[in-house]
Amino acid sequence: MAVKSLKKRESELASTQRQLEILSNGIFQSGELPTFANKIKETNQFPLKPKKIEILQINVGYMCNQVCSHCHVDAGPDRKEIMTRETMQQCLDVIEKTGAHTLDLTGGAPEMNPNFRWFVEEASKIGVKDFIVRSNLTIIRANKKYYDLPEFFKKHNVHVVSSMPHWTRGKTDKQRGDGVFDKSIKALQELNAVGYGMPDSDLRLDLVYNPSGAFLPGDQTAMEKDFKKALLEDFGIQFHNLFAITNLPISRFLDYLIASENYEDYMYSLVEAFNPSAVANVMCTNTISVSWDGWLYDCDFNQMLDLKVASNVKHISEYNEEILQNRNVIISQHCYGCTAGAGSSCQGTVA
Ligand code: SF4
Ligand code: SF4
């Protein structure tokens, strides 16, 4: 598995331009497979338009204590992009004004931003309905200064959403790094100990599954049942929901697909599994994604491809919901990952 980010390795895929070229050329340029735009034209869903903005997803930095092989952020300890307090304040001003009911903090490991706790404290005062922090779990055990995170999350009624690719050590460590499974189990037990994930608890703890190779996720409901049974029996762990997410062919997962010579087969699987009814509810229809430096994107994936919103309003400092809602969503072939099978979003299936 990769131990450094694509950026650190100076891989050609560290260039978003190069990734977009790969996604546009080859089988899509030759017409062997339809482009995503042509595919959604068949069901009169082009151009893709957003509905009401309900979720603000804020990426507070690309630094992470892990270097997972599939990471679409290309995150890692060597990434230094971190949101400043000034940009956080601009986000807070927007959260207060907007009608968004969900605030979703992501990274990297968001907890590694030195202003993370300040931001959570301030944001929790605003009173959004659902305040999500995407925690990779191992950060809770990475250093003494993070040991009290379960209590901190509880204090601010944060909804914890965490990646857990499998209930076995081998599959988890293969995707996320040696030792990740054991630390994740310990962190989940600590979250349970303060009340997270218990059946009648308001302290929400959800897990995210994504496949460890070039295949699509199985049925979310069946997987949730299997995860719940195994984690409870083996480790006494409880959680609320499992979200099954499809890996999008960008960044380190694209690198993996190309290196393992699975790229074309994977794109075929995504296109064959295209589900027109998933298009109406893809993430970009109700979400705005904000990068560490305040730029606005249709989703976290477009952020990682540096595809800023197609709008006169492009930065959090000039946020205007009405203008943003009139835009067309920028799409490319990676979008097939959101519409395959039951669809895929940060909240799991969509169709
Ligand atoms: S924990 Fe998340 S952000 Fe960090 S490297 Fe893994 S997938 Fe990327
Ligand atoms: S990748 Fe982003 S822009 Fe494309 S369909 Fe998914 S959410 Fe929408």
Side-chain angles (χ1 to χ4, degrees):
M1 80 166 261
V3 290
K4 286 181 186 156
S5 66
L6 296 170
K7 193 172 179 193
K8 184 79 177 174
R9 280 187 269 150
E10 295 180 4
S11 159
E12 64 162 356
L13 286 184
S15 152
T16 54
Q17 197 49 45
R18 182 66 193 128
Q19 292 184 49
L20 288 165
E21 275 166 22
I22 291 169
L23 288 168
S24 302
N25 295 344
I27 41 182
F28 292 101
Q29 196 176 43
S30 68
E32 208 174 315
L33 288 178
T35 61
F36 188 73
N38 283 337
K39 196 72 185 167
I40 64 172
K41 273 179 197 163
E42 287 171 12
T43 46
N44 298 322
Q45 295 181 96
F46 181 86
L48 189 54
K49 298 290 289 184
K51 296 179 272 195
K52 190 174 160 27
I53 298 170
E54 295 175 316
I55 303 173
L56 262 182
Q57 188 171 59
I58 300 177
N59 194 315
V60 297
Y62 303 158
M63 188 182 283
C64 190
N65 58 316
Q66 292 183 189
V67 198
C68 305
S69 55
H70 64 269
C71 181
H72 76 272
V73 179
D74 194 27
D78 54 67
R79 297 300 300 263
K80 306 297 178 210
E81 300 88 341
I82 283 287
M83 185 176 276
T84 61
R85 198 180 272 215
E86 188 192 357
T87 308
M88 286 178 171
Q89 186 59 58
Q90 290 172 338
C91 293
L92 289 169
D93 294 344
V94 166
I95 297 159
E96 234 168 341
K97 277 192 292 200
T98 163
H101 58 60
T102 299
L103 174 60
D104 187 340
L105 296 194
T106 188
E111 302 92 332
M112 290 179 86
N113 183 311
N115 289 307
F116 169 75
R117 292 193 192 221
W118 173 81
F119 192 33
V120 170
E121 280 160 10
E122 293 303 310
S124 65
K125 289 180 198 161
I126 295 168
V128 283
K129 200 166 139 222
D130 192 8
F131 185 4
I132 296 170
V133 171
R134 292 185 185 267
S135 174
N136 68 16
L137 294 174
T138 62
I139 192 70
I140 295 173
R141 300 302 309 161
N143 183 300
K144 268 191 194 153
K145 68 179 175 184
Y146 300 121
Y147 284 2
D148 67 334
L149 277 171
E151 287 289 353
F152 176 76
F153 290 149
K154 179 179 177 174
K155 185 173 169 202
H156 298 287
N157 198 21
V158 160
H159 171 179
V160 178
V161 178
S162 296
S163 285
M164 191 74 191
H166 207 255
W167 62 81
T168 60
R169 183 174 289 106
K171 285 195 174 167
T172 300
D173 286 1
K174 184 168 172 259
Q175 184 187 109
R176 294 175 76 77
D178 289 342
V180 165
F181 182 77
D182 290 341
K183 279 191 199 142
S184 302
I185 291 295
K186 181 93 179 87
L188 285 171
Q189 287 168 334
E190 288 175 359
L191 286 162
N192 276 176
V194 300
Y196 269 99
M198 308 315 279
D200 298 323
S201 173
D202 288 339
L203 296 168
R204 302 285 312 167
L205 173 62
D206 296 323
L207 299 185
V208 174
Y209 160 87
N210 64 302
S212 52
F215 55 92
L216 305 186
D219 176 68
Q220 181 169 281
T221 311
M223 266 194 299
E224 180 179 285
K225 223 168 129 206
D226 291 344
F227 264 78
K228 284 199 165 172
K229 187 168 180 288
L231 288 178
L232 185 62
E233 281 177 9
D234 296 349
F235 305 103
I237 288 170
Q238 303 199 66
F239 65 96
H240 290 123
N241 294 114
L242 181 84
F243 303 145
I245 292 187
T246 302
N247 288 314
L248 264 64
I250 66 168
S251 195
R252 291 214 285 267
F253 191 67
L254 178 61
D255 182 53
Y256 157 79
L257 289 174
I258 293 170
S260 60
E261 299 185 354
N262 275 307
Y263 170 71
E264 290 195 359
D265 286 348
Y266 190 69
M267 295 314 289
Y268 263 92
S269 323
L270 291 182
V271 175
E272 272 164 22
F274 175 75
N275 176 358
S277 62
V279 178
N281 294 317
V282 285
M283 223 161 38
C284 50
T285 57
N286 70 346
T287 303
I288 281 284
S289 155
V290 188
S291 63
W292 64 277
D293 46 0
W295 295 103
L296 304 178
Y297 301 84
D298 300 300
C299 69
D300 204 45
F301 304 110
N302 280 8
Q303 180 181 147
M304 299 317 151
L305 289 170
D306 199 21
L307 297 169
K308 294 184 179 73
V309 282
S311 168
N312 288 335
V313 168
K314 285 199 190 309
H315 195 267
I316 192 78
S317 57
E318 55 196 22
Y319 192 91
N320 180 313
E321 203 157 305
E322 215 175 309
I323 296 176
L324 278 167
Q325 267 180 226
N326 281 327
R327 76 196 194 278
N328 292 340
V329 171
I330 302 186
I331 54 171
S332 182
Q333 282 48 266
H334 63 296
C335 298
Y336 274 118
C338 294
T339 55
S344 176
S345 76
C346 281
Q347 320 289 335
T349 57
V350 298

